Amino acid sequence: MTAWCLLIPLCRQTQKGSTPYKVIPVATGQLTEKEELIQNLLAQVVEQFSRVFKINELKTEVANHLAMLEKRVELEGLKVAEIEKCKSDIKKMRDEMAARNSRTNCPCKYSFLDENKKLIPRRDVPSYPKYILSQETIEALRKPTFDVWLWEPNEMLSCLEHMYHDLGLVKDFKINPIILKRWLLCIHDNYRNNPFHNFRHCFCVTQMMYSMISLCSLQVKLPQTDILMLMTASVCHDLDHPGYNNTYQINAQTELAVRYNDISPLENHHCAVAFQIFAQPECNIFSNIDQEQFKRIRQGMITLILATDMARHAEILDSFKEILDNFDYSNEEHVTQLKMVLIKCCDISNEVRPMEVAEPWVDCLLEEYFMQSDREKSEGLPVAPFMDRDKVTKPTAQIGFLKFVLIPMFEIITKLFPVVEEVLLQPLWESRDRYEQLKQIDDTMKELQKKKNESLASEGRENTIMDTKIL
């Protein structure tokens, strides 16, 4: 009997082993050998069809799965970015906590220079590369307009090294060049990463001193010993500064304030750290000078670094004014007074520089001030208005400082060195005028905002009255 078969498509099956086609016999009976062969052939065709459709289904399924994976990868990528940002934020918080702890524990609050390991010099030949300064850089380095923001720490170290060679200090005092390198590296390692009082500030002050030595022809007027004192005191003048000023040290009765009886605790600490470094033979740039000369240099450096305490500003300036009319370079006391004023000028000379170089320093200083005032508030200590983030603005901070501190001091120096007026004093006048204009703009904006707020408040009251009447 002939057996007919139908190839009937079925609905898509999801169970394993199902096929989209099935063979259904139409007529039944005893199959002949030929019919059985045909049926087997048909079964094989069905199987081939099924495989084809399974492959297409598999392709579709794989495509869908890939699309889903791509979406997941995209989402995971976003998660990874968020995770990395979180990690970065956590690291910043940890760094800030570590910085706060270091400020709390050393030397600001309890201990005196806990991190003694910083004072251990590098006994190998220092690793920072020897930069060959271009002639353009060498000439720029002698000018107050030098942009101190363009240089990496290694480059600043090389510039400092160049200054000592250029001034003849290495030759005249038989300073071992390798020891000079080690000393500079140790100096760098003992400046903290504060917003303002950091190694770049050290470089900035020293570079300004180098500029003034050139500008005022001080090497013609002063002996090399005084030049060495001025340069080395500038390098060391803020060593291991904790980022909190003397007022905080004294009010919080920190270990430094107790140690130095509230008398210039930070400046005394800077001196102590400087000479702890010199006590290391590998860092002693004075090793080839006799004991008497070293004593004079040491005493001179201490006098200069202590002079950077702004609490003594009026006292130092008044003393210098008294001798100015009869200034005598052969008088040791007169020269000491001059050196004290010179290092003070260099220490607070940022506004002498071009605006694009000077202004970032104001932001750095305000950031450090605000960190201190926040801490003072949290500890219940007095807060200076010029350091309070709720009261001070950049123009108000700078106008008073320029008018009552910087300009009068540089005007006095101008009497002894007339060349200073055009190069150093003129930029200060221009900076004062610019900040006064900014203050006027700020005051105008505040007044407009105040009137706007009053107008809105008045309208609000009128609307309230109208609403009340209607009710």
Side-chain angles (χ1 to χ4, degrees), residues 22 121 195 239 241 264 279 302 344 368 379 408 423 426 448 452:
K22 188 173 182 181
L239 273 169
H241 196 297
S264 304
I302 291 170
K344 284 177 60 59
E368 197 167 293
E379 294 179 1
V423 182
Q426 185 64 36
L448 290 172
K452 183 179 178 182

Side-chain angles (χ1 to χ4, degrees), residues 26-282:
V26 177
T28 60
Q30 190 68 31
L31 296 175
T32 65
E33 186 177 343
K34 185 178 179 180
E35 290 170 338
E36 188 175 353
L37 185 61
I38 291 171
Q39 188 169 344
N40 289 337
L41 184 61
L42 284 171
Q44 289 178 15
V45 170
V46 167
E47 187 178 351
Q48 293 296 328
F49 269 106
S50 297
R51 284 180 182 175
V52 169
F53 277 91
K54 275 187 176 180
I55 288 170
N56 288 335
E57 281 189 8
L58 185 60
K59 283 182 179 178
T60 304
E61 191 172 338
V62 168
N64 291 337
H65 189 59
L66 283 173
M68 184 179 69
L69 284 175
E70 286 175 355
K71 184 116 180 142
R72 282 187 62 187
V73 166
E74 184 180 350
L75 292 172
E76 291 298 325
L78 292 174
K79 288 180 183 177
V80 168
E82 290 176 1
I83 290 169
E84 289 302 318
K85 185 178 182 302
C86 287
K87 284 181 179 178
S88 175
D89 291 343
I90 290 168
K91 185 178 183 302
K92 285 180 183 176
M93 290 174 68
R94 282 178 176 167
D95 290 344
E96 175 60 22
M97 290 300 294
R100 285 179 182 273
N101 287 336
S102 72
R103 288 192 292 268
T104 300
N105 298 330
C106 167
C108 194
K109 199 71 180 171
Y110 304 112
S111 62
F112 178 75
L113 200 65
D114 283 341
E115 299 174 85
N116 283 319
K117 61 182 181 180
K118 282 187 174 182
L119 295 178
I120 299 173
R122 307 181 192 188
R123 297 177 185 274
D124 58 334
V125 176
S127 58
Y128 72 87
K130 172 66 177 176
Y131 291 92
I132 299 175
L133 303 182
S134 68
Q135 191 58 38
E136 182 183 5
T137 299
I138 289 171
E139 290 174 5
L141 200 56
R142 295 193 187 101
K143 298 176 182 177
T145 52
F146 187 80
D147 191 343
V148 296
W149 295 105
L150 298 178
W151 309 88
E152 296 298 322
N154 284 342
E155 295 170 322
M156 290 188 281
L157 287 167
S158 286
C159 287
L160 290 170
E161 188 181 350
H162 167 80
M163 293 175 200
Y164 272 75
H165 282 278
D166 183 56
L167 291 170
L169 302 177
V170 173
K171 179 183 176 182
D172 292 348
F173 296 96
K174 298 181 177 63
I175 299 173
N176 185 322
I178 298 300
I179 289 179
L180 177 62
K181 280 175 173 282
R182 287 203 189 101
W183 173 67
L184 288 171
L185 273 169
C186 202
I187 290 292
H188 170 269
D189 291 347
N190 281 278
Y191 271 92
R192 300 197 194 189
N193 191 28
N194 298 315
F196 184 90
H197 291 100
N198 50 40
F199 178 68
R200 193 175 298 276
H201 169 66
C202 153
F203 175 73
C204 190
V205 173
T206 309
Q207 187 274 325
M208 184 59 73
M209 181 64 76
Y210 179 65
S211 299
M212 292 195 74
I213 289 170
S214 175
L215 178 67
C216 303
S217 303
L218 292 180
Q219 284 191 291
V220 177
K221 300 175 174 69
L222 302 176
Q224 280 291 79
T225 305
D226 286 334
I227 301 299
L228 181 64
M229 286 181 203
L230 286 167
M231 288 295 294
T232 311
S234 297
V235 170
C236 300
H237 83 284
D238 270 332
L239 273 169
D240 199 45
H241 196 297
Y244 295 84
N245 68 13
N246 280 331
T247 302
Y248 175 83
Q249 306 295 324
I250 294 166
N251 288 339
Q253 276 298 281
T254 65
E255 191 271 345
L256 284 182
V258 172
R259 177 179 292 271
Y260 294 112
N261 303 309
D262 294 349
I263 301 170
S264 304
L266 286 181
E267 289 71 26
N268 275 295
H269 178 60
H270 305 324
C271 289
V273 175
F275 285 96
Q276 282 179 325
I277 293 172
F278 289 129
Q280 307 288 333
E282 298 86 350

Side-chain angles (χ1 to χ4, degrees), residues 395 399 435-446:
I399 290 170
Y435 278 115
E436 285 181 340
Q437 288 175 0
L438 287 173
K439 184 178 183 299
Q440 288 177 359
I441 293 170
D442 283 352
D443 291 344
T444 302
M445 293 300 292
K446 285 178 184 177

Side-chain angles (χ1 to χ4, degrees), residues 231-418:
M231 288 295 294
T232 311
S234 297
V235 170
C236 300
H237 83 284
D238 270 332
L239 273 169
D240 199 45
H241 196 297
Y244 295 84
N245 68 13
N246 280 331
T247 302
Y248 175 83
Q249 306 295 324
I250 294 166
N251 288 339
Q253 276 298 281
T254 65
E255 191 271 345
L256 284 182
V258 172
R259 177 179 292 271
Y260 294 112
N261 303 309
D262 294 349
I263 301 170
S264 304
L266 286 181
E267 289 71 26
N268 275 295
H269 178 60
H270 305 324
C271 289
V273 175
F275 285 96
Q276 282 179 325
I277 293 172
F278 289 129
Q280 307 288 333
E282 298 86 350
C283 290
N284 185 11
I285 61 173
F286 303 133
S287 60
N288 290 324
I289 62 176
D290 62 61
Q291 194 61 28
E292 283 304 312
Q293 194 174 23
F294 174 73
K295 284 182 180 178
R296 288 200 305 274
I297 291 171
R298 171 175 159 79
Q299 187 54 55
M301 282 184 58
I302 291 170
T303 299
L304 294 182
I305 293 173
L306 292 180
T308 61
D309 183 357
M310 286 302 294
R312 298 181 58 202
H313 178 78
E315 165 211 330
I316 292 170
L317 226 55
D318 289 343
S319 297
F320 186 64
K321 283 186 212 174
E322 290 176 6
I323 64 170
L324 192 57
D325 291 337
N326 301 302
F327 190 86
D328 182 1
Y329 282 102
S330 63
N331 185 318
E332 189 176 340
E333 181 57 33
H334 287 196
V335 171
T336 298
Q337 292 287 337
L338 169 62
K339 289 186 295 184
M340 292 166 71
V341 173
L342 284 172
I343 196 168
K344 284 177 60 59
C345 286
C346 295
D347 188 25
I348 55 176
S349 63
N350 289 324
E351 288 298 331
V352 165
R353 300 181 186 273
M355 182 189 71
E356 63 273 12
V357 180
E359 192 160 5
W361 280 115
V362 182
D363 297 323
C364 293
L365 185 60
L366 288 177
E367 183 182 349
E368 197 167 293
Y369 279 175
F370 295 158
M371 285 170 57
Q372 175 171 322
S373 63
D374 289 346
R375 182 166 181 169
E376 287 168 333
K377 290 174 184 177
S378 69
E379 294 179 1
L381 298 173
V383 178
F386 69 90
M387 300 179 78
D388 192 337
R389 68 173 72 245
D390 299 323
K391 296 179 181 178
V392 72
T393 64
K394 194 186 294 187
T396 56
Q398 289 305 97
I399 290 170
F401 189 62
L402 282 158
K403 288 174 71 172
F404 303 112
V405 178
L406 275 175
I407 291 175
M409 183 166 63
F410 277 88
E411 283 175 341
I412 291 170
I413 283 290
T414 301
K415 292 179 181 178
L416 196 59
F417 305 109

